[in-house]
Amino acid sequence: MIIDTHCHLDDESFEADLTAVLERAKDANIEKIIIPGASIKDLPKAIRISEEQKNIFFAVGVHPYHVDEMDESVLRKFAKHEKCVAVGECGLDYYRLPESGIEEYKARQKEVFIAQIKLACELKKPLIVHIRDANEDSLSILKEYEDKLVGGVLHCYNASPILLELSRTFYYGIGGVLTFKNEKKLGAILPQIPKERLLIETDAPYLTPVPYRGERNEPARTIFVRDKMSEILNLSGDEIERITTQNALKLFAI
């Protein structure tokens, strides 16, 4: 059994064939799926999907690209839902910076990130964290609140060695990037992550693993992530499934 801990099933690319996508996931032994919160506008759709499918859950959050949507009252409202298992995805992303007002832009991202961390602490829900080109700032903020959090996951772990400092509290989401032929850093650092901190994810419809790179990603393709993890860690596929499933069940209490 595999749990896809990060899959945007509320993305418009799944509207036409969601039923077929979920059937393929079932056939691939994908037992549970978590839809992260990225845009408040998509939350109603995520909730509807989770209500219709007993093995699908969701999180409430605002992605750093959508900081202008931040409305804590909305997050609090939806966080009360019985299928809400986490806060996020939230974090810092400095990959696309504006031509001017860069420091103000970063400050706003930090403000929204910290607000969601505090919400996760208050609600005692795990935190789903997005970090891109912002390792140092993210680490500094997470270190400050680490002892108050019940746990969390560094979604799409970017292979930064300094982020391993968070392994006491955080899990590490591993997805299709691990299979990319030009990606060596993640494969090299994977054995350094405590096995009890590993999770499998797709980030579908993004980051499709080899051999389907370039196509839309979907939960059934977590098996290629499992197989690559198995190869690198010298563990059977069944053992990878057992470890990552136990980790996901523990973190998200599902």
Side-chain angles (χ1 to χ4, degrees), residues 148-159:
K148 299 175 184 177
L149 286 162
V150 298
V153 53
L154 304 184
H155 147 63
C156 193
Y157 172 52
N158 61 21

Side-chain angles (χ1 to χ4, degrees), residues 3 5 44 191:
I3 296 179
T5 59

Side-chain angles (χ1 to χ4, degrees), residues 85-239:
V85 297
V87 173
E89 66 182 287
C90 57
L92 303 179
D93 192 319
Y94 298 164
Y95 180 68
R96 295 187 180 94
L97 295 174
E99 293 183 1
S100 62
I102 291 176
E103 292 309 313
E104 291 83 356
Y105 178 77
K106 289 182 177 181
R108 177 58 177 158
Q109 283 200 12
K110 291 176 184 177
E111 177 187 354
V112 172
F113 184 24
I114 291 170
Q116 291 177 87
I117 293 174
K118 290 180 176 179
L119 182 62
C121 293
E122 177 189 335
L123 300 178
K124 292 182 169 48
K125 290 184 182 292
L127 189 73
I128 300 173
V129 181
H130 171 107
I131 302 172
R132 191 176 189 187
D133 291 356
N135 293 328
E136 291 78 9
D137 283 355
S138 299
L139 178 63
S140 176
I141 290 171
L142 291 171
K143 278 284 190 181
E144 181 178 353
Y145 293 95
E146 185 177 17
D147 291 338
K148 299 175 184 177
L149 286 162
V150 298
V153 53
L154 304 184
H155 147 63
C156 193
Y157 172 52
N158 61 21
S160 168
I162 67 171
L163 296 180
L164 290 179
E165 295 180 28
L166 296 167
S167 63
R168 180 171 60 89
T169 302
F170 283 84
Y171 293 71
Y172 296 78
I174 309 298
V177 173
L178 185 67
T179 71
F180 294 177
K181 291 180 172 60
N182 61 348
E183 175 50 57
K184 306 299 182 186
K185 292 180 180 179
L186 186 56
I189 205 168
L190 184 67
Q192 299 180 41
I193 303 172
K195 292 180 179 62
E196 65 273 15
R197 292 291 170 180
L198 290 170
L199 298 175
I200 289 179
E201 62 175 52
T202 54
D203 199 21
Y206 314 107
L207 300 178
T208 310
V210 174
Y212 294 99
R213 193 173 181 187
E215 299 181 15
R216 182 194 67 180
N217 203 3
E218 61 178 71
R221 290 174 177 169
T222 53
I223 61 173
F224 299 103
V225 179
R226 175 204 63 194
D227 291 347
K228 192 64 178 179
M229 291 175 72
S230 172
E231 174 189 329
I232 293 171
L233 298 177
N234 196 27
L235 294 170
S236 69
D238 287 345
E239 186 68 0

